[in-house]
Amino acid sequence: QVQLVESGGGLVQAGGSLRLSCAASGRTFTSYAMGWFRQAPGKEREFVAAISWSGYSTYYADSVKGRFTISRDNAKNTVYLQMNSLKPEDTAAYFCAADHNIGPVGVGNTQPGEYDYWGQGTQVTVSS
């Protein structure tokens, strides 16, 4: 089992920044690719970013590329999502997820069903 707990969400003004954290515990965290997803009310869960187990490979949704950065610190069992230049349309519940995969990440890591473990979510609200 892998337990994931997100933190760092909150209310920010458009143009502001937040850094989300996802703390992991359980079996062999470093062997898992990690992803961030978000879900706004009435919408489908949407892929945001993914990172390979070693951190050498990252993949981003077009809607966030250039504004968001995913990273991980395996020594701290934590994955991060740095969100800059936030827009009201970024408002959503953000979830981290783990996939038992040691390869690179790409389009194959954009579907929620590919992930084995999920956190409870943290709310990000961007006001205009």
Side-chain angles (χ1 to χ4, degrees):
Q1 290 288 319
V2 174
Q3 308 294 327
L4 305 173
V5 179
E6 302 97 331
S7 62
L11 174 64
V12 298
Q13 292 185 316
S17 297
L18 282 174
R19 188 172 78 158
L20 306 183
S21 298
C22 177
S25 61
R27 187 185 66 185
T28 317
F29 173 73
T30 55
S31 70
Y32 287 85
M34 299 295 297
W36 285 98
F37 292 77
R38 65 189 183 186
Q39 188 166 21
K43 294 188 176 182
E44 298 290 324
R45 189 161 295 189
E46 175 190 20
F47 170 76
V48 176
I51 187 167
S52 64
W53 75 274
S54 68
Y56 85 98
S57 174
T58 58
Y59 189 77
Y60 296 91
D62 288 342
S63 59
V64 306
K65 192 171 185 178
R67 299 188 298 121
F68 292 9
T69 303
I70 188 171
S71 62
R72 68 191 298 165
D73 185 343
N74 287 345
K76 298 183 181 295
N77 293 330
T78 302
V79 62
Y80 304 97
L81 185 68
Q82 178 67 46
M83 305 185 295
N84 299 325
S85 301
L86 283 161
K87 305 174 181 179
E89 51 262 47
D90 295 318
T91 295
Y94 283 71
F95 300 85
C96 67
D99 176 22
H100 188 49
N101 172 30
I102 62 172
V105 293
V107 67
N109 303 98
T110 62
Q111 295 299 314
E114 297 298 319
Y115 290 80
D116 301 302
Y117 304 100
W118 291 84
Q120 83 291 344
T122 186
Q123 180 67 38
V124 172
T125 302
V126 184
S127 62
S128 60

